[in-house]
Amino acid sequence: MRNLLHKKSGLHILCSLLFLFLPAAASAITEEQAVQKALELSLHKDPYWRLLVHYKRALFGWKSLIDDPEFFLAPNGKRNPKAELEYTVRALFRPKEGDELHPGFKFIARASWLRGKLGISSKDLPYDAEEEYQRLKANINPTDFYLVFPACYLNNPASLFGHVFFLIESKDVPHLAGFSLNYGAMTTDPPGPIFAVKGLFGLYRGRYELAYYFKMITEYRDLDMRDIWEYRLNLTDEQKDLMLRHMIELNYSYSNYYYLDENCAYCLLFPIEAARPDTKLTSRFFGLVEPVRTINTMQKLGLLDEPIYRPSLFTTLQYRKQIIPRSLHGMIKKVCYGKASIDALTSSSAYTALTAEEKTNLWTFASEYLQYLLNNSEISAEDYRDRFLAVLTQLNTKSSGKSADTAAIAQVPVPDAQPQHAHSSRYIAAGGGYDSKEGPYTDISFRLLAHGLMDTDDGYSRNSQMEFFTGNIRYDINDNSCIIKKLDIAEFTAMPVSDSFIFKTGIMFTGGFESNTLEDKQDDLAGYLKLCFGASTLMFRNTQLYLYLGGKTYVSPDYAYNTDPLLGGEAGIITTAGILKQHLKASVYQSPRTFRHTRFALSAEECLRLTKDFHLTGSCTFNGDWRRTWLDAGGSIRILF
């Protein structure tokens, strides 16, 4: 009897266990059940779903910013979040065919989010995309993500605002050997006006592409001569995983590239927001987006660590040149160009007087200067190889009587001016002044985007200017009238520093509308273009001197031949002293039609920076044209935002 009870008890326990497992086996979700549940939960309205598919409010409903039809599974998925959701859920239950890229892996961020929301396990699906993702993740083995900012480069219209891309740092892999994810315009057009125009109207495709980081370093730091700033993203391991998943999705798609808004600075916000949806990053920018502004915003949100600074080859040369005696500059240049022998340099009294550390820095500078000459095609690859080996021999054996001590090589200090501290782009200013032709006035000035010559240089090229849609509207108190003095569409000024080793041509370009003085007429608003080329150099550490030559022409039906052309140039000095910046300028332009039409101006402009985004400005200009002279002086309060 006891044995029978024992057997019955064992049978009862077995049946109970089977009963417990039966609901689990029966709970497998089917495709139709998953679709029905997704619709009941209204997942297509979930902000995270809209984020992953890049949906934004349109004039009618929703529209994804991705333009690649392969990014959508539904025929109308670009504008229909609900249809795209249903098609995506159904695609998860589709078997993999051959070597196809299964939607479950191609859209791994969407797939994993839907599986979590709908309670779908890998066993419910005919293909386990999660297993394939984990294999890829193990190969990449990411430890940290960095936002990388190559600074502005004004001599290339494609790089006026700088650039941003991601660095994926992998475990047990050198930092420079990691992968980078870059978003940029796919084009074979050379940098120039064609690129700028096409980029403004979205005529290029923008793609996300993976590349080795050291290749990006070579391109931006050594070839383009742009300082690089690396910001580690403050993310948890779970957030890093979410970011990597969305990066994989974006790697298979393209969007129309717009130079001012849907650019690298904006499109790279989506992977970060996928990791940290609480930041709502992409909703913080509307219209015009530039890299330094996104970096500034992320810094305020606590997303970025303090940056790692990688000076460009140009910056490095400028710094190391300062610690080499000027008496040796000419000889070093001759050696690098092959016009003098190394023996002639080493036998000079100025060289023998150097310490071992100074000799190490001298030969380090020579090796880097040779690299610069090669990059700019000023010497051949064969000449570079022979001269570099000779310089390397000096560096390793003769500089200090032993192998060069890398600790003795002077390192470029991290500058105080950093991109995360950049000023805001837009401004509005109110002020007044006195014009000896018209009398007292009040005025309002404004700028829609970017950086002016008198702004602080944090995050921008030194003493540069790239402004879009700036204007000055003046109210004449005596005449009780309001006039537009200036309305510029775009204004670029690049002032790369030249010296005895490096010569860089600068450019000034302005296009817009300006009040123009003509003989026996009041000032008329006319369209105009200005284009000048020149050079700039440092007189002292914080004082830059420039000279530009070219011309400008005004266009109006009121003029003879509809134009008023002028040829000439301008020179100036820009000085920065803490919170004060000063610009002294002289310009002369001559009309080819009459000598009476000689336009000149002597001006002084001051800017006092009380805070990063609150400035006091003042200016005084002595003008002359058509044998008349007049004075214009004024000041304003400027608020940047």
Side-chain angles (χ1 to χ4, degrees), residues 89-104:
V89 174
R90 293 190 183 281
L92 299 181
F93 289 86
R94 196 178 78 193
K96 183 176 180 179
E97 299 178 0
D99 296 330
E100 74 158 344
L101 192 64
H102 192 274

Side-chain angles (χ1 to χ4, degrees), residues 450-519:
H451 173 72
L453 202 62
M454 299 300 290
D455 290 332
T456 55
D457 296 323
D458 300 30
Y460 295 92
S461 297
R462 180 174 184 171
N463 293 336
S464 62
Q465 183 159 297
M466 50 175 180
E467 296 186 314
F468 291 90
F469 306 108
T470 59
N472 176 266
I473 301 173
R474 181 176 293 188
Y475 174 73
D476 191 321
I477 296 175
N478 287 340
D479 292 345
N480 193 25
S481 61
C482 190
I483 61 171
I484 298 175
K485 290 292 290 184
K486 196 170 187 179
L487 184 61
D488 289 342
I489 307 303
E491 184 169 1
F492 306 134
T493 299
M495 291 188 183
V497 175
S498 296
D499 57 28
S500 59
F501 287 97
I502 297 174
F503 180 83
K504 289 284 187 180
T505 302
I507 184 173
M508 289 181 177
F509 169 80
T510 309
F513 300 87
E514 187 177 53
S515 182
N516 185 36
T517 300
L518 286 179
E519 185 180 20

Side-chain angles (χ1 to χ4, degrees), residues 383-394:
D383 288 338
Y384 167 78
R385 183 175 59 252
D386 295 341
R387 294 168 197 169
F388 181 77
L389 288 174
V391 167
L392 195 62
T393 300
Q394 296 293 325

Side-chain angles (χ1 to χ4, degrees), residues 256-312:
N256 293 335
Y257 183 93
Y258 290 89
Y259 187 61
L260 295 180
D261 49 9
E262 291 180 43
N263 51 25
C264 63
Y266 184 74
C267 291
L268 287 185
L269 296 176
F270 282 98
I272 303 175
E273 190 173 352
R276 286 281 308 275
D278 58 301
T279 60
K280 299 181 180 179
L281 272 177
T282 57
S283 300
R284 293 175 181 270
F285 299 91
F286 176 77
L288 307 173
V289 186
E290 54 180 315
V292 290
R293 194 174 180 196
T294 60
I295 290 172
N296 185 269
T297 299
M298 285 188 277
Q299 180 76 8
K300 291 177 180 177
L301 293 172
L303 284 168
L304 304 179
D305 270 354
E306 288 300 308
I308 298 171
Y309 174 59
R310 296 188 183 277
S312 68

